[in-house]
Amino acid sequence: MGSTSEAAKQDKPAAEGARPARRRLSVDRRREELMAAALELFSKRDAEDVSIDDVASAAGASRALVYHYFGGKQELYVAALRSAAAQLEARLQPVDGGRPLDELAGGLTRYFDFVEEHAAGFAALLKGGPANRSGEIGEIVDSVRHRLFRLIMKQMRVHEPRPVLRITLRSWIASVETAGLDWLEHRDIERPRLESMLVDQMVALLRVAADRDPQVEQLLGDLIREQTS
């Protein structure tokens, strides 16, 4: 009996040691972990299908802690998407000094750096259903698109696009978003090849638009001359 009791005493600390220790994290770090867990879930399932309990479990936190930091699922969803959008917009800071199409290619590389390094955030940002495209959620997604739109105009030295050019550029941005989601899902094409293809798509779209608007015709001519000079 004595030996059995002694063994039990020895086993008890081992069993307790097997449980993960609760970590003391700063407020900002804990919020980041909760948002990261939420983005991972929101990237795979509709927001309506993700519960606070799901987020708490994924983050190794309590339900009460999630409510303490965010108040509810909608607040958490908005905060997580704002975080992802801010990180993406930071990647889109322009780098001036090169030829316009080279600058465009560089911007695409930074964009896909974010897609690759923050897959959950990118997917969650763009995969929301129609119900999520109004109010704050719609504003967050649109802010990223507007940022990319302004960046492209700056790279192409355009101050005020007319309708044909505006539609062309917004159509290309939609293609880039779709390409990013498809690449994350399949990863069956090398990133440099995909990025090069998207630059070529931009030129092709501008060629079509140039037949319909003299502004685009002049812009395309300038781009080609700079690229070959």
Side-chain angles (χ1 to χ4, degrees), residues 112 115-116 119 122-123 127 177-191 194:
F112 276 92
V115 172
E116 184 167 13
F122 178 78
K127 277 189 172 180
E177 291 177 355
T178 301
L181 290 172
D182 184 88
W183 185 80
L184 281 179
E185 181 180 356
H186 299 287
R187 294 183 185 258
D188 53 1
I189 182 173
E190 297 83 0
R191 257 191 59 189
L194 174 60

Side-chain angles (χ1 to χ4, degrees), residues 8 12 41 62 83 90 92 125 133 136-137 176 181 199 204:
K12 186 176 180 181
L41 292 169
S62 68
S83 174
L92 297 179
L125 196 61
R133 289 303 181 216
E136 288 180 285
I137 305 303
V176 172
L181 290 172
V199 173

Side-chain angles (χ1 to χ4, degrees), residues 156-190:
M156 294 188 173
R157 288 58 157 169
V158 175
H159 298 292
E160 194 63 41
R162 294 210 289 250
V164 171
L165 180 57
R166 184 190 67 241
I167 292 169
T168 299
L169 297 183
R170 293 184 68 178
S171 298
W172 183 77
I173 290 171
S175 296
V176 172
E177 291 177 355
T178 301
L181 290 172
D182 184 88
W183 185 80
L184 281 179
E185 181 180 356
H186 299 287
R187 294 183 185 258
D188 53 1
I189 182 173
E190 297 83 0

Side-chain angles (χ1 to χ4, degrees), residues 47-151:
E48 293 80 4
D49 298 329
V50 177
S51 69
I52 289 293
D53 287 333
D54 293 332
V55 175
S57 176
S62 68
R63 173 189 177 94
L65 189 65
V66 181
Y67 276 112
H68 171 73
Y69 282 119
F70 297 100
K73 187 174 75 172
Q74 180 65 14
E75 291 85 352
L76 173 59
Y77 187 39
V78 170
L81 292 188
R82 283 197 188 283
S83 174
Q87 292 177 61
L88 176 54
E89 289 189 14
R91 294 292 182 96
L92 297 179
Q93 292 292 335
V95 179
D96 300 324
R99 296 174 297 187
L101 290 180
D102 291 339
E103 290 182 12
L104 183 69
L108 273 175
T109 296
R110 296 193 301 275
Y111 185 93
F112 276 92
D113 282 345
F114 177 86
V115 172
E116 184 167 13
E117 295 167 18
H118 303 279
F122 178 78
L125 196 61
L126 297 180
K127 277 189 172 180
N132 296 326
R133 289 303 181 216
S134 60
E136 288 180 285
I137 305 303
E139 291 174 6
I140 293 168
V141 177
D142 285 344
S143 73
V144 175
R145 289 173 176 155
H146 289 154
R147 176 78 176 181
L148 187 55
F149 183 80
R150 291 193 300 270
L151 173 62

